[in-house]
Amino acid sequence: MKKLFVKTYGCQMNAYDSAKMADLLAPLGYAQADAPEGADMVILNTCHIRERAAEKVYSELGRLKQMKAAKARDGGKMLLAVAGCVAQAEGEEIVARAPQVDMVVGPQSYHRLPEMIARAARAGGHALETDFPALEKFDSLQPPQASGVSAFLTVQEGCDKFCTFCVVPYTRGSEHSRSPETILTEARQLADKGARELVLLGQNVNAYDGGGWSLAKLCEAIAQIDQIERIRYTTSHPRDMGDDLIAAHADNPKLMPYLHLPVQSGSDTVLEAMNRQHTGDDYRRLVERIRKSRPDIAMTSDFIVGFPGESDTDFDATMQLVRDIGYATAFSFKYSKRPGTPASTMRKQVAEDVKAARLDALQKLLLSQQYAFDDSQIGKIMPVLFEKVAREEGQIMGRTPYLQPVHVKTDAALIGQVASVKIEKRTANSLHGVLA
Ligand code: 5AD
Ligand code: SF4
């Protein structure tokens, strides 16, 4: 067997893509290793959404260059591939700056990896694939080799929204949905491999349109698969939250009461400059409708502070929106420039210390809401889907319907099952309980 090491940065979509690349290379004799030393192939599956992403990749490539040289001294060959959104954004710049890289492959071209490997092995030189072919990249691929209790399944990719701060429309291309047939086939395969929960992924997952199938209809079909007990989806855009999806949160018992619905800001001025195409009140009304359908739904969001032009009043509007909605948890970031995006050249960039102070205030508020939400579960009996053994000896870890991690001292035989747990206490990052 040859050794394959895949390093994954960034989002869940990348985690899914990494697993798919490993499945794709398995028939070529590659087995996954958990370290890059001595590997026959190393793939860096990169993410461009965070700051200085490209610089981090180049420094990692510097380390790998030495390992590649060591492998060559031993008479072997280490193939080096850069995949993901940095590959898409940087393209040829990567082979120019890091000639040790054999392959640069954008997110839409992973199905070409076997052919690229064959080329690199035969001829040497560099292979570069960063087109956006119309073809469905994973539909001709291998069935999943393995599955955890909770499995990712990509149903949609790309984004046409062009928020002015974001690189995704440039790196992942325009919105594209996989067909319901291929998704259902993969869902059944994952279920056969042990998946009990499916997390449907897409940059704009609620914009899913599979030839007339909405996301709600897809969830309904997936709910027919007996072994699948829980369905989640992420990430949604407020503008694509259709009535039938809202209704599904009441009607589809397998659809979990949890919704990641990024709002980014509570200020209408900032939302407009971000090109979000909705106001703070639009979002409030939407959440009200969702809560009418599913009163206990746990809401989560992403926030950006310090977007160009954001004033103290704008920031206050974000804090007010957070107080009005009440989040179970949320991610928050300081705005940072992405080359090529409209916001990066806007005048009135916000000073770093102002951004830091705003982020601190927002995160304190969000954390207090998270703790309040978690504490509200103490004393309750919750259905927990157990996923894996926990780090602490004798404990296993599972999740509530609201995605909260729960640690329980009990038999590992319960992994893969839903059991009732009485929640007893909360620590910083987890709930703890006993079987009820
Ligand atoms: N600066 C800060 N945060 C960003 N995000 C995306 N682009 C940027 C940027 N330029 C955040 C958004 C998005 C999440 C995945 O990352 O909040 O929802
Ligand atoms: Fe980026 Fe999401 Fe906006 Fe699309 S909707 S541009 S992925 S932030």
Side-chain angles (χ1 to χ4, degrees), residues 49-50 165-166 262 264 302-304 333-336 338:
I49 214 141
R50 295 283 154 264
F165 52 81
C166 184
Q264 314 293 356
D302 294 340
F303 294 92
I304 295 177
F333 314 97
K334 286 191 269 191
Y335 170 74
S336 74
R338 296 293 173 277

Side-chain angles (χ1 to χ4, degrees), residues 112-149:
R112 303 238 175 98
L113 263 174
E115 158 200 336
M116 293 170 80
I117 290 174
R119 245 190 295 155
R122 259 200 323 271
H126 304 289
L128 197 100
E129 292 282 1
T130 49
D131 295 346
F132 288 125
L135 170 153
E136 299 215 331
K137 69 172 174 179
F138 288 138
D139 291 350
S140 53
L141 298 191
Q142 299 298 316
Q145 301 266 311
S147 173
V149 172

